[in-house]
Amino acid sequence: MIRLQDIEKVYRTDTVETLALSSISLDIAKGEFLSIMGPSGCGKSTLLNIMGLLDAPTKGDIRIDDQKTVRLSDKQLAQFRNKKLGFIFQSYHLINDLKVLDNVELPMLYRSSTAKERTQLATEALRKVGLSNRVKHFPAQLSGGQKQRVAIARAIVGKPEIILADEPTGNLDSAMGNEIMDILLQLNKTEGTTIVMVTHDENMARKTHRLVRLFDGSQVQ
Amino acid sequence: MLKNYFKIAIAVFKRRKFFTFISLFGISFTLTILIVLTAFIDKVINDNYPDRKRDRSLYVNKMTERGDQSYNGEALSFYFLDHYVRRLKTPVKLAVSSDYRGTNTYVNNKKISISYKYTNADYWDVTEYDFLEGKPFTKQQIANAERVAVISADIKRAYFGDVPSVVGKYIEADNVQYRVCGVVKNVPVTLYMLYSDIYLPYTVSKTDYSSNTGYRGGYYGILLAASSADVPKMKKEFEQMVKKLPMSSKEYNKIYCPAETFIPAYLNTGNEDKSGLVYALTAIAIFVLLVMLLPTLNLININITRIMERSSEIGVRKAFGASSQTLVYQFIVENIILTILGCLIGIILSLIVLKVLNNASLIPNLELTLNFTVLSVGLLTCLIFGLLSGVYPAWRMSRLNVVDALKAQ
């Protein structure tokens, strides 16, 4: 589903050159739930951003669903992300000025869909994460766990084949973290969604199919 | 999509109330100035009362002679209009009127400033004044040098008070008593070739209009063609006549006296090398630019701050499928929503300002209105304003890297 070949990422300033990722090659199968672990600053999030086409590698090749993505234009990348990928962030990144339902509808705005279809899909996604009773609330009125569930609903509303989660339980206590993890596991199991998750939590990582460890930008496991 | 943009735009405006106030104030204040300016220009250019036959008229209001060392330019003499212009074959009528002059008169020990103007009989045929009562003076009355007068509605009220009719009554101007023969609707002072409080037969003029046989004096002419198709022919005939005119003095070697349609004549500088129209358009353009520049720069600045505050939202939108182009569109739409709100306030402000200006009578008889043309110009200005102040911040925002934008929260 996702194939990374010899990925390298270098951050350059006028005086310093920092190697963030070095020779990463990785194959992630369709329907797989993979977790990435490693100490802070080892390049986990950079790798996830590159997989999610939010950042470009300095060197290497990325294929998603057998499609080469390196030379896609801004517009093509946007369409690709919209249709194939869903994102979950540690700090939720909900738009505080929009209600829960509008936040969840957001990815559908960039597809040709009617308002009715958008509302239907967003309501369905919120039902899946158990937040049907919070559609009219604003993000500020929700707990951390509820916010992350809204973020999951937003990630799955467009039925993407891949979900990329950057420390989705990082800001939550263990009970809420487990709730979120259960939702992701359920999603992987019932919908067959491929999930790549960055985490610091060994317990969470153990629940996934495979674990990849990074250290100083290189894959060590 | 638009509904979503609208929702977020309103939410952002509510969140930063002070910024929103500054933006709306800038837009509405600018628009008010521009609408008042447009209303003024529109009134001067498009309101064709009392010269409703502008499409078949040519106006002559200045004669200039110049030499290597000298220059002389002013309005025309009665003699020039009567002797040279009247002999042209294409015009069917020639309206002759003097420039307006001022005098004071007293009613019940109260001083009233009055302007008066001398006209010929054709003046009333070439123009179409609205007579509220009575009628204009006739050729015969002019020939008899009868002391009769057509007065404006304003001067009727100021001099006689609120009485139903004043025809047949006497009004004093410049120490002479004139019998009122008609009352006309007011003409704004901006129409300097047609404005006056009192219109008198040219034959009652104290200065001997016939003794000045030079080209220049204090009179204007309006040449009326049988149809608008005859106007170019009339213009050509006039130009040929001017070409044949001998110089009034040896010190001159060039004569310039155009017969023009209303707007070029209105803006006539008296110099063929310096178009009044170009001067007027340049002055208006500079004024509009200055009025618009400051609020636009201010709005650009505010928009950049506003947009940069929302970099997390930009990152999220990009991650979920918004292209840079889509985001530029979103922010421009948001800015146009803000601009339209500012415009609505601006239009309400303009209505208030126009009412205050009209009531204050700063410019005599100038009734400024907010008509379709003025409103269209105002709305077009708004749209340009919205685009100008939205495009640059939106473009800057669209270049934000998604990862950096997401980190900004």
Side-chain angles (χ1 to χ4, degrees):
Chain A
M1 189 73 193
I2 305 173
R3 169 166 286 184
L4 304 181
Q5 272 187 318
D6 202 21
I7 294 293
E8 189 178 292
K9 179 70 183 178
V10 180
Y11 291 106
R12 289 192 179 93
T13 63
D14 291 342
T15 51
V16 187
E17 201 169 84
T18 311
L19 184 66
L21 291 174
S22 170
S23 301
I24 303 275
S25 294
L26 200 59
D27 272 318
I28 301 165
K30 189 176 168 71
E32 192 174 5
F33 194 156
L34 178 105
S35 49
I36 303 171
M37 288 194 75
S40 293
C42 70
K44 304 182 296 290
S45 294
T46 305
L47 182 62
L48 199 75
N49 289 335
I50 287 173
M51 274 188 218
L53 312 179
L54 301 178
D55 205 353
T58 312
K59 205 181 105 189
D61 188 38
I62 311 157
R63 281 171 188 268
I64 297 178
D65 215 7
D66 272 339
Q67 192 176 341
K68 223 173 170 177
T69 59
V70 175
R71 289 201 184 128
L72 293 180
S73 67
D74 174 74
K75 201 171 177 178
Q76 288 168 323
L77 277 174
Q79 279 175 355
F80 195 90
R81 282 196 292 262
N82 182 253
K83 293 208 171 103
K84 299 265 181 193
L85 307 173
F87 296 89
I88 302 167
F89 306 100
Q90 182 181 1
S91 49
Y92 328 121
H93 282 306
L94 299 177
I95 300 173
N96 290 326
D97 294 315
L98 293 179
K99 286 179 183 165
V100 163
L101 189 72
D102 295 320
N103 264 290
V104 177
E105 278 184 14
L106 188 114
M108 304 310 296
L109 288 176
Y110 305 113
R111 290 186 193 181
S112 50
S113 58
T114 63
K116 198 177 168 187
E117 283 166 355
R118 285 199 294 271
T119 308
Q120 264 177 359
L121 287 167
T123 310
E124 173 64 14
L126 283 165
R127 191 191 57 75
K128 281 184 186 168
V129 298
L131 276 182
S132 300
N133 55 344
R134 293 284 189 271
V135 289
K136 302 266 182 203
H137 286 61
F138 282 96
Q141 298 168 301
L142 304 177
S143 68
Q146 286 173 327
K147 282 181 189 171
Q148 197 57 297
R149 281 196 274 164
V150 175
I152 295 174
R154 182 179 60 188
I156 63 172
V157 71
K159 299 187 173 33
E161 292 171 60
I162 301 164
I163 285 183
L164 302 167
D166 192 357
E167 299 193 45
T169 59
N171 279 2
L172 306 173
D173 61 31
S174 60
M176 278 189 183
N178 284 329
E179 269 182 33
I180 297 301
M181 195 61 198
D182 289 344
I183 294 171
L184 293 177
L185 286 166
Q186 185 70 16
L187 200 64
N188 173 252
K189 195 176 167 186
T190 55
E191 315 267 332
T193 311
T194 308
I195 302 178
V196 181
M197 176 178 76
V198 165
T199 182
H200 275 114
D201 191 330
E202 287 277 355
N203 291 330
M204 300 294 179
R206 252 184 250 125
K207 292 179 184 177
T208 64
H209 300 157
R210 184 155 61 113
L211 172 64
V212 167
R213 284 186 195 274
L214 296 185
F215 188 79
D216 278 352
S218 300
Q219 190 178 340
V220 291
Q221 182 187 328
Chain B
M1 184 89 96
L2 275 175
K3 194 179 160 193
N4 187 279
Y5 291 170
F6 188 77
K7 272 184 192 173
I8 199 136
I10 298 297
V12 172
F13 301 157
K14 278 186 188 166
R15 183 158 30 104
R16 300 302 299 263
K17 290 187 180 72
F18 184 67
F19 275 180
T20 307
F21 167 76
I22 295 284
S23 303
L24 288 177
F25 179 77
I27 298 165
S28 51
F29 188 70
T30 307
L31 186 70
T32 304
I33 293 174
L34 292 178
I35 281 187
V36 172
L37 174 73
T38 312
F40 180 80
I41 294 170
D42 179 64
K43 184 74 186 176
V44 172
I45 291 174
N46 286 337
D47 186 7
N48 63 354
Y49 173 77
D51 47 340
R52 292 188 171 116
K53 298 167 193 157
R54 280 185 190 174
D55 62 321
R56 54 191 183 107
S57 300
L58 288 175
Y59 299 74
V60 192
N61 57 7
K62 208 164 209 177
M63 150 100 56
T64 308
E65 281 181 292
R66 64 178 71 241
D68 297 331
Q69 304 286 322
S70 50
Y71 165 93
N72 196 344
E74 56 181 301
L76 306 140
S77 68
F78 185 89
Y79 174 81
F80 172 77
L81 289 165
D82 196 48
H83 188 75
Y84 293 98
V85 184
R86 186 176 300 287
R87 288 181 186 172
L88 300 179
K89 291 187 176 71
T90 320
V92 287
K93 299 253 180 198
L94 171 67
V96 176
S97 64
S98 71
D99 47 15
Y100 65 87
R101 297 144 198 200
T103 183
N104 292 324
T105 190
Y106 294 85
V107 182
N108 301 326
N109 291 327
K110 189 182 148 200
K111 189 174 95 173
I112 303 174
S113 295
I114 291 183
S115 58
Y116 62 96
K117 179 192 259 310
Y118 299 108
T119 80
N120 68 353
D122 277 357
Y123 181 84
W124 303 105
D125 296 329
V126 173
T127 57
E128 284 183 5
Y129 280 79
D130 289 341
F131 273 82
L132 306 175
E133 60 175 296
K135 54 186 181 181
F137 36 77
T138 61
K139 266 186 184 155
Q140 193 55 53
Q141 285 173 312
I142 292 174
N144 297 345
E146 283 184 35
R147 287 175 174 169
V148 285
V150 170
I151 66 172
S152 73
D154 262 1
I155 217 70
K156 171 194 166 186
R157 194 169 46 251
Y159 195 89
F160 296 103
D162 283 328
V163 290
S165 175
V166 294
V167 171
K169 292 187 176 179
Y170 284 85
I171 186 168
E172 189 182 299
D174 216 12
N175 298 319
V176 179
Q177 293 276 332
Y178 296 96
R179 184 169 51 82
V180 176
C181 64
V183 179
V184 290
K185 193 178 133 189
N186 299 322
V187 174
V189 72
T190 47
L191 291 175
Y192 62 91
M193 289 184 275
L194 302 147
Y195 163 82
S196 189
D197 293 323
I198 303 182
Y199 301 84
L200 306 168
Y202 67 88
T203 45
V204 302
S205 169
K206 283 180 184 172
T207 51
D208 190 358
Y209 61 90
S210 57
S211 65
N212 173 10
T213 54
Y215 295 147
R216 286 172 290 276
Y219 284 83
Y220 309 125
I222 306 174
L223 290 71
L224 186 72
S227 70
S228 53
D230 282 345
V231 171
K233 188 180 159 197
M234 186 162 77
K235 188 173 166 71
K236 203 169 177 184
E237 192 189 1
F238 184 88
E239 282 166 357
Q240 280 168 350
M241 177 273 289
V242 172
K243 265 185 197 167
K244 288 178 194 161
L245 288 174
M247 299 295 152
S248 61
S249 161
K250 280 179 187 169
E251 57 188 316
Y252 303 128
N253 52 32
K254 198 171 183 184
I255 195 161
Y256 177 57
C257 179
E260 299 277 16
T261 49
F262 178 75
I263 296 171
Y266 187 84
L267 299 166
N268 183 10
T269 59
N271 184 342
E272 60 187 316
D273 300 326
K274 291 177 182 172
S275 162
L277 197 60
V278 172
Y279 275 125
L281 289 176
T282 310
I284 291 168
I286 291 171
F287 180 79
V288 169
L289 187 74
L290 286 177
V291 166
M292 282 186 75
L293 190 67
L294 226 60
T296 306
L297 288 177
N298 173 44
L299 202 58
I300 287 174
N301 212 14
I302 288 176
N303 281 339
I304 289 174
T305 314
R306 255 188 177 152
I307 289 174
M308 290 307 163
E309 274 179 352
R310 292 165 65 189
S311 41
S312 159
E313 179 195 331
I314 293 160
V316 170
R317 286 186 184 271
K318 278 195 165 183
F320 283 99
S323 64
S324 298
Q325 193 186 333
T326 313
L327 287 174
V328 168
Y329 173 65
Q330 177 192 338
F331 282 97
I332 289 175
V333 168
E334 280 185 24
N335 205 48
I336 288 178
I337 292 170
L338 182 75
T339 315
I340 287 172
L341 279 176
C343 279
L344 292 176
I345 299 170
I347 288 168
I348 295 166
L349 268 178
S350 306
L351 284 170
I352 296 168
V353 170
L354 290 180
K355 192 155 181 72
V356 169
L357 282 178
N358 288 340
N359 288 344
S361 294
L362 292 176
I363 303 170
N365 304 333
L366 193 72
E367 192 73 21
L368 299 176
T369 51
L370 190 65
N371 58 26
F372 181 73
T373 315
V374 176
L375 209 60
S376 305
V377 171
L379 291 176
L380 186 71
T381 313
C382 269
L383 211 64
I384 295 169
F385 196 79
L387 283 173
L388 277 180
S389 56
V391 167
Y392 175 67
W395 173 78
R396 258 192 71 170
M397 167 279 310
S398 73
R399 286 163 57 93
L400 270 182
N401 176 280
V402 191
V403 177
D404 294 337
L406 287 169
K407 275 182 193 162
Q409 194 174 49

Coordinates of all heavy atoms in Angstrom, one line a residue, chain B residues 61-93:
Chain B
N61 N -17.6 78.8 -24.7 CA -17.5 79.5 -23.4 C -16.2 80.2 -23.2 O -16.0 80.9 -22.2 CB -17.8 78.6 -22.2 CG -16.9 77.4 -22.2 OD1 -16.0 77.3 -23.0 ND2 -17.1 76.5 -21.2
K62 N -15.3 80.1 -24.2 CA -14.0 80.7 -24.0 C -13.3 81.0 -25.3 O -13.4 80.2 -26.3 CB -13.1 79.8 -23.2 CG -12.1 80.6 -22.3 CD -11.5 79.6 -21.3 CE -11.1 80.4 -20.1 NZ -10.6 79.6 -19.0
M63 N -12.7 82.1 -25.4 CA -11.9 82.5 -26.6 C -10.5 82.9 -26.1 O -10.3 83.7 -25.2 CB -12.5 83.6 -27.3 CG -11.6 84.5 -28.1 SD -11.4 84.2 -29.8 CE -13.1 84.3 -30.5
T64 N -9.5 82.2 -26.7 CA -8.1 82.5 -26.3 C -7.3 83.0 -27.5 O -7.4 82.4 -28.6 CB -7.4 81.3 -25.7 OG1 -8.3 80.8 -24.7 CG2 -6.1 81.6 -25.1
E65 N -6.6 84.1 -27.4 CA -5.6 84.5 -28.4 C -4.2 84.5 -27.7 O -4.1 84.9 -26.6 CB -5.9 85.9 -28.9 CG -7.1 85.9 -29.9 CD -7.3 87.3 -30.4 OE1 -7.8 88.1 -29.6 OE2 -7.1 87.5 -31.6
R66 N -3.3 83.9 -28.4 CA -1.9 83.9 -27.8 C -0.9 84.3 -28.9 O -1.1 84.0 -30.1 CB -1.6 82.6 -27.2 CG -1.6 81.4 -28.1 CD -1.2 80.1 -27.4 NE -2.2 79.6 -26.5 CZ -2.1 79.5 -25.2 NH1 -1.0 79.9 -24.6 NH2 -3.1 79.1 -24.5
G67 N 0.1 84.9 -28.4 CA 1.3 85.3 -29.2 C 2.6 84.8 -28.6 O 2.5 84.0 -27.6
D68 N 3.7 85.2 -29.1 CA 5.0 84.7 -28.5 C 5.1 85.2 -27.1 O 5.6 84.5 -26.2 CB 6.1 85.2 -29.4 CG 6.0 84.6 -30.8 OD1 5.5 83.5 -30.9 OD2 6.5 85.2 -31.7
Q69 N 4.7 86.4 -26.8 CA 4.9 87.0 -25.5 C 3.6 87.2 -24.7 O 3.6 87.6 -23.5 CB 5.5 88.4 -25.6 CG 6.8 88.4 -26.4 CD 8.0 87.9 -25.6 OE1 8.1 88.1 -24.4 NE2 8.8 87.1 -26.3
S70 N 2.4 87.0 -25.4 CA 1.2 87.4 -24.7 C 0.1 86.4 -24.8 O 0.2 85.5 -25.7 CB 0.7 88.7 -25.3 OG 0.7 88.6 -26.7
Y71 N -0.9 86.5 -24.0 CA -2.0 85.5 -23.9 C -3.2 86.3 -23.4 O -3.1 87.1 -22.4 CB -1.5 84.4 -22.9 CG -2.7 83.6 -22.4 CD1 -2.9 82.4 -23.1 CD2 -3.4 83.9 -21.3 CE1 -4.0 81.5 -22.7 CE2 -4.4 83.0 -20.9 CZ -4.7 81.9 -21.5 OH -5.7 81.1 -21.1
N72 N -4.3 86.0 -24.0 CA -5.6 86.6 -23.5 C -6.7 85.6 -23.7 O -7.0 85.2 -24.8 CB -5.8 87.9 -24.2 CG -6.9 88.8 -23.5 OD1 -7.6 88.3 -22.6 ND2 -6.9 90.0 -23.9
G73 N -7.3 85.2 -22.6 CA -8.4 84.3 -22.7 C -9.5 84.5 -21.7 O -9.2 84.7 -20.6
E74 N -10.7 84.6 -22.2 CA -11.9 84.8 -21.3 C -13.2 84.4 -22.1 O -13.1 84.0 -23.2 CB -11.9 86.2 -20.7 CG -12.0 87.3 -21.7 CD -12.0 88.7 -21.1 OE1 -12.9 89.0 -20.3 OE2 -11.1 89.5 -21.3
A75 N -14.3 84.7 -21.4 CA -15.6 84.4 -22.1 C -15.8 85.3 -23.3 O -14.9 86.2 -23.6 CB -16.7 84.5 -21.1
L76 N -16.9 85.1 -24.0 CA -17.0 85.8 -25.3 C -17.8 87.1 -25.2 O -18.6 87.3 -24.2 CB -17.7 84.8 -26.3 CG -17.0 83.5 -26.4 CD1 -17.9 82.4 -26.4 CD2 -16.0 83.5 -27.5
S77 N -17.6 87.9 -26.2 CA -18.4 89.1 -26.2 C -19.8 88.8 -26.8 O -19.9 87.9 -27.6 CB -17.7 90.2 -27.0 OG -17.7 89.9 -28.4
F78 N -20.8 89.7 -26.5 CA -22.1 89.5 -27.1 C -22.0 89.8 -28.6 O -22.6 89.1 -29.4 CB -23.1 90.6 -26.5 CG -24.5 90.4 -27.0 CD1 -25.4 89.6 -26.3 CD2 -24.9 91.1 -28.1 CE1 -26.6 89.4 -26.8 CE2 -26.2 90.9 -28.6 CZ -27.1 90.0 -28.0
Y79 N -21.1 90.7 -29.0 CA -20.9 91.0 -30.4 C -20.4 89.8 -31.1 O -20.9 89.5 -32.2 CB -19.9 92.2 -30.5 CG -19.5 92.5 -31.9 CD1 -20.3 93.3 -32.7 CD2 -18.3 92.1 -32.4 CE1 -20.0 93.6 -34.0 CE2 -17.9 92.3 -33.7 CZ -18.8 93.1 -34.5 OH -18.4 93.4 -35.8
F80 N -19.4 89.1 -30.6 CA -18.8 87.9 -31.3 C -19.9 86.9 -31.5 O -20.1 86.4 -32.6 CB -17.7 87.3 -30.5 CG -17.2 86.0 -31.0 CD1 -16.4 86.0 -32.1 CD2 -17.6 84.8 -30.5 CE1 -15.9 84.8 -32.7 CE2 -17.2 83.6 -31.0 CZ -16.3 83.6 -32.1
L81 N -20.7 86.6 -30.5 CA -21.8 85.6 -30.6 C -22.8 86.1 -31.6 O -23.3 85.3 -32.5 CB -22.4 85.3 -29.3 CG -21.5 84.6 -28.3 CD1 -22.1 84.7 -26.9 CD2 -21.3 83.1 -28.7
D82 N -23.2 87.3 -31.5 CA -24.3 87.8 -32.4 C -23.8 88.1 -33.8 O -24.6 87.8 -34.8 CB -24.8 89.2 -31.8 CG -26.1 89.6 -32.3 OD1 -27.0 88.7 -32.4 OD2 -26.3 90.7 -32.7
H83 N -22.6 88.5 -33.9 CA -22.1 88.9 -35.3 C -21.5 87.7 -36.1 O -21.8 87.5 -37.2 CB -21.0 90.0 -35.1 CG -20.6 90.6 -36.4 ND1 -21.4 91.5 -37.1 CD2 -19.5 90.4 -37.1 CE1 -20.7 91.8 -38.2 NE2 -19.6 91.2 -38.2
Y84 N -20.7 86.8 -35.4 CA -20.1 85.7 -36.1 C -20.8 84.4 -36.0 O -21.1 83.7 -36.9 CB -18.6 85.5 -35.6 CG -17.7 86.7 -35.9 CD1 -17.4 87.7 -35.0 CD2 -17.1 86.8 -37.2 CE1 -16.6 88.7 -35.3 CE2 -16.3 87.8 -37.5 CZ -16.0 88.8 -36.5 OH -15.2 89.9 -36.8
V85 N -21.2 84.1 -34.7 CA -21.8 82.7 -34.5 C -23.2 82.7 -35.1 O -23.6 81.7 -35.7 CB -21.7 82.4 -33.0 CG1 -22.3 81.0 -32.8 CG2 -20.3 82.5 -32.4
R86 N -24.0 83.7 -34.9 CA -25.3 83.7 -35.4 C -25.4 83.5 -36.9 O -26.4 83.0 -37.4 CB -26.1 85.0 -35.0 CG -27.5 85.0 -35.3 CD -28.2 86.3 -34.8 NE -28.1 86.4 -33.4 CZ -28.8 85.7 -32.5 NH1 -29.6 84.8 -32.9 NH2 -28.6 85.9 -31.2
R87 N -24.4 83.9 -37.6 CA -24.4 83.8 -39.0 C -24.2 82.4 -39.6 O -24.3 82.1 -40.8 CB -23.4 84.8 -39.7 CG -23.9 86.2 -39.5 CD -22.9 87.2 -40.1 NE -23.3 88.5 -39.8 CZ -22.6 89.6 -40.1 NH1 -21.4 89.4 -40.7 NH2 -23.1 90.8 -39.9
L88 N -23.8 81.5 -38.7 CA -23.6 80.1 -39.1 C -24.9 79.5 -39.6 O -26.0 79.8 -39.1 CB -23.0 79.2 -38.0 CG -21.7 79.7 -37.4 CD1 -21.3 78.8 -36.2 CD2 -20.6 79.7 -38.4
K89 N -24.8 78.6 -40.6 CA -26.0 78.1 -41.2 C -26.6 76.8 -40.5 O -27.8 76.6 -40.4 CB -25.8 77.7 -42.6 CG -25.5 79.0 -43.5 CD -25.4 78.6 -45.0 CE -25.3 79.9 -45.8 NZ -23.9 80.5 -45.7
T90 N -25.7 76.0 -39.9 CA -26.2 74.7 -39.3 C -27.0 74.9 -38.0 O -28.1 74.3 -37.9 CB -25.1 73.8 -39.1 OG1 -24.1 73.9 -40.1 CG2 -25.5 72.3 -38.9
P91 N -26.6 75.8 -37.1 CA -27.4 75.9 -35.9 C -28.8 76.4 -36.2 O -29.0 77.4 -37.0 CB -26.6 76.9 -35.0 CG -25.3 76.9 -35.6 CD -25.4 76.6 -37.1
V92 N -29.8 75.8 -35.5 CA -31.2 76.3 -35.7 C -31.5 77.4 -34.7 O -32.4 78.3 -34.9 CB -32.2 75.2 -35.7 CG1 -32.2 74.3 -36.9 CG2 -32.0 74.4 -34.4
K93 N -30.8 77.4 -33.6 CA -30.9 78.4 -32.6 C -29.6 78.7 -31.9 O -28.7 77.8 -31.9 CB -31.9 77.9 -31.5 CG -33.3 77.6 -31.9 CD -34.3 78.6 -31.4 CE -35.7 78.2 -31.9 NZ -36.6 79.3 -31.8

